[in-house]
Amino acid sequence: MEQRDWDELKQAAVEVMGRAYAPYSHYPVGAAARVDDGRTVVGCNVENAAYGVVLCAECGLVSQLHASGGGRLTHFVCVNGDGEVIMPCGRCRQLLFEHGGRDLLLWTVSGVKPMSEVLPDAFGPDDLARVATDEAGPS
């Protein structure tokens, strides 16, 4: 993906960040990702007075991914209220790994990196599939 494509993705994240609902933390976040079929999906954080049930921007993005047809994430960026690129938290890195895999490219605070570097030795669907196969035993 060329730099102008990354810039367009970041702009989509900035735009959706403007719709975030962050009355408690005052820390709006927007996220945008490219899907393997070329679509762009976005999400913004949505806070709740019961702080523990906040929906991160990445959660909204993955929800839009599935609501709009599914697929795999290929490129991802998220921004803060100033439009600066930020790192997804650990929980969200796991969520992104689930829906983009080791090859998902993230624009991070230190440049573009594959998910395999952002979340090394990640646990994911393949690990669960192996356990299910092992428990089924020989056929």
Side-chain angles (χ1 to χ4, degrees):
M1 192 157 93
E2 296 181 24
Q3 184 58 47
R4 66 181 163 82
D5 297 320
W6 278 110
D7 292 340
E8 288 174 8
L9 202 58
K10 182 181 176 189
Q11 184 56 39
V14 169
E15 287 175 20
V16 76
M17 175 272 301
R19 295 183 219 127
Y21 178 74
Y24 308 108
S25 71
H26 305 287
Y27 194 82
V29 175
R34 187 68 42 87
V35 182
D36 57 2
D37 65 5
R39 280 178 295 136
T40 297
V41 291
V42 297
C44 60
N45 58 324
V46 178
E47 295 181 347
N48 186 295
Y51 293 118
V53 292
V54 168
L55 296 174
C56 298
E58 296 87 342
C59 294
L61 182 146
V62 168
S63 181
Q64 187 183 48
L65 169 71
H66 288 281
S68 64
R72 301 292 286 169
L73 301 175
T74 60
H75 300 79
F76 173 87
V77 64
C78 63
V79 299
N80 64 16
D82 293 327
E84 300 166 331
V85 172
I86 58 174
M87 270 311 263
C89 72
R91 173 182 174 250
C92 290
R93 292 178 200 190
Q94 181 66 36
L95 182 68
L96 292 169
F97 177 81
E98 179 90 11
H99 299 282
R102 289 171 172 77
D103 295 329
L104 170 61
L105 295 176
L106 283 75
W107 185 355
T108 74
V109 296
S110 56
V112 175
K113 297 182 180 219
M115 181 56 81
S116 60
E117 288 182 31
V118 174
L119 192 64
D121 302 322
F123 180 86
D126 293 342
D127 298 294
L128 293 175
R130 266 194 300 278
V131 170
T133 302
D134 291 347
E135 287 179 0
S139 33

